[in-house]
Amino acid sequence: MVGTMFWFRFLPLILLIFFITAAFKKSLAQERVFTIGVVPQFTPVEIYERWGPLIKELENRTGLKFELKTYKSIPEFEKAFLKGEPDFVFMNPYHQVMAYKAQKYIPLVRDKTPLTGILVVRRDSPIKEVKDLDGKVIAFPAPNAFAASLYIRALLTEKFKISFTPEYVKTHDNVYRHVILGKAQAGGGVNNTFLRQPEEVKRELRILYETPSAAPHPFSAHPRVPKEVRDKVKKAILDMANEPSMKALLDRVQMPNPVPADYARDYKPLEKLNLEKYVVLE
């Protein structure tokens, strides 16, 4: 009886402390600036142009603050997420595997359309099939760009049994231009970045080969990000998918039709490709 009276007497104080703590945590989450890292498929300037409007929209919808982080190269980007530096990351599918193993990054959303790696050649190139690339120079954005490099190099080596000289040129844009200028006989890219090239670039190129498809780039969160924050961001992006006025904004960041992402379903199967021997960490 005495024990019951003791807790009853202090119950209002306990509840007050609980609500103050909850409000304080919520306030901290709202005041905190969450960083968003984006894989450098494009130049930093273009990434700001593409992602800036989405980030502003996320701030308006969630009441949270975000800071966009850009990187000069994919290796620099990889070092950042392997250390767990960005709070949120937009990365390629195999980066998600690496990030999950290193830091347990949680995929939140991804686009509905599968990702496909492509090999392009000049439209007037005499190269007609993959085996014609034996001994040739092939441009790639970076060693660990999944569909544009990692997967393609594995397939060229193990399926097609050809040798080639890889040249890493930092971005997908650079790959396509290297091929057009004749600096490489072929180049690795992905369907998403190729479709977003200017018409004058696309009409100079021909797709020689497409890889099997995979789940596309996820927008993921570090597990230190509070669940309520992750849920807010995920809901905001999925809500945008239902609004026609947001279509262009989402398309700019390569998620025109975002859907919920799940590591076990979407990205764990990539572990079976055994691509580790093709990964290059600088």
Side-chain angles (χ1 to χ4, degrees):
M1 185 68 177
V2 174
T4 303
M5 289 298 294
F6 175 83
W7 285 111
F8 184 77
R9 179 184 301 175
F10 286 97
L11 181 60
L13 180 60
I14 293 170
L15 289 174
L16 180 62
I17 292 172
F18 173 80
F19 286 118
I20 289 174
T21 302
F24 180 67
K25 287 182 178 179
K26 182 178 180 181
S27 176
L28 282 179
Q30 289 175 336
E31 291 176 6
R32 177 179 168 186
V33 177
F34 295 94
T35 54
I36 297 177
V38 175
V39 59
Q41 294 173 306
F42 308 100
T43 65
V45 171
E46 188 170 354
I47 288 173
Y48 271 109
E49 290 175 348
R50 289 172 177 271
W51 282 83
L54 176 69
I55 289 174
K56 185 175 292 186
E57 187 67 27
L58 279 177
E59 289 182 334
N60 291 338
R61 290 173 182 251
T62 64
L64 301 167
K65 297 294 182 184
F66 301 97
E67 178 187 359
L68 180 61
K69 292 284 188 181
T70 61
Y71 304 87
K72 294 178 181 178
S73 66
I74 288 179
E76 181 183 300
F77 168 72
E78 290 166 347
K79 289 177 184 177
F81 75 68
L82 288 173
K83 291 178 182 177
E85 291 176 2
D87 296 310
F88 294 92
V89 189
F90 182 72
M91 58 184 127
N92 79 42
Y94 202 74
H95 279 156
Q96 174 62 72
V97 173
M98 295 165 64
Y100 184 82
K101 289 181 177 180
Q103 295 285 338
K104 300 298 182 186
Y105 273 95
I106 304 162
L108 303 179
V109 296
R110 61 170 177 83
D111 191 59
K112 183 170 67 174
T113 304
L115 178 70
T116 303
I118 59 173
L119 271 172
V120 299
V121 296
R122 279 180 58 99
R123 189 165 295 277
D124 59 2
S125 171
I127 294 170
K128 301 300 180 186
E129 50 187 317
V130 174
K131 69 177 184 180
D132 296 336
L133 292 174
D134 191 37
K136 300 294 193 294
V137 174
I138 303 178
F140 301 101
N144 303 333
F146 170 64
S149 176
L150 194 64
Y151 198 11
I152 288 178
R153 288 186 290 113
L155 289 167
L156 292 177
T157 301
E158 298 183 11
K159 179 179 178 179
F160 294 99
K161 311 292 185 185
I162 67 171
S163 61
F164 55 92
T165 301
E167 184 174 349
Y168 302 112
V169 298
K170 296 186 177 180
T171 69
H172 289 230
D173 289 354
N174 287 347
V175 167
Y176 301 133
R177 283 154 180 78
H178 263 62
V179 176
I180 290 172
L181 294 172
K183 294 181 179 180
Q185 283 71 56
V190 297
N191 52 344
N192 288 338
T193 60
F194 182 73
L195 291 174
R196 286 169 173 78
Q197 291 299 306
E199 286 302 320
E200 59 267 24
V201 170
K202 289 190 287 186
R203 65 170 169 255
E204 294 292 330
L205 298 171
R206 169 166 48 89
I207 296 176
L208 179 72
Y209 174 73
E210 296 187 36
T211 70
S213 60
H217 293 49
F219 186 75
S220 305
H222 195 281
R224 68 168 168 267
V225 176
K227 185 178 185 302
E228 60 267 28
V229 172
R230 301 198 306 262
D231 290 345
K232 269 188 177 183
V233 171
K234 181 176 181 177
K235 182 179 184 303
I237 295 175
L238 294 176
D239 285 348
M240 290 182 212
N242 298 318
E243 302 172 23
S245 62
M246 293 289 105
K247 182 75 172 179
L249 183 149
L250 290 168
D251 186 63
R252 292 281 290 165
V253 299
Q254 301 181 62
M255 288 192 294
N257 298 292
V259 295
D262 178 79
Y263 184 80
R265 179 194 65 210
D266 298 329
Y267 302 104
K268 189 173 178 61
L270 300 182
E271 296 177 12
K272 298 178 182 179
L273 295 178
N274 298 318
L275 299 178
E276 289 84 356
K277 60 183 174 181
Y278 297 99
V279 170
V280 178
L281 294 178
E282 297 182 7

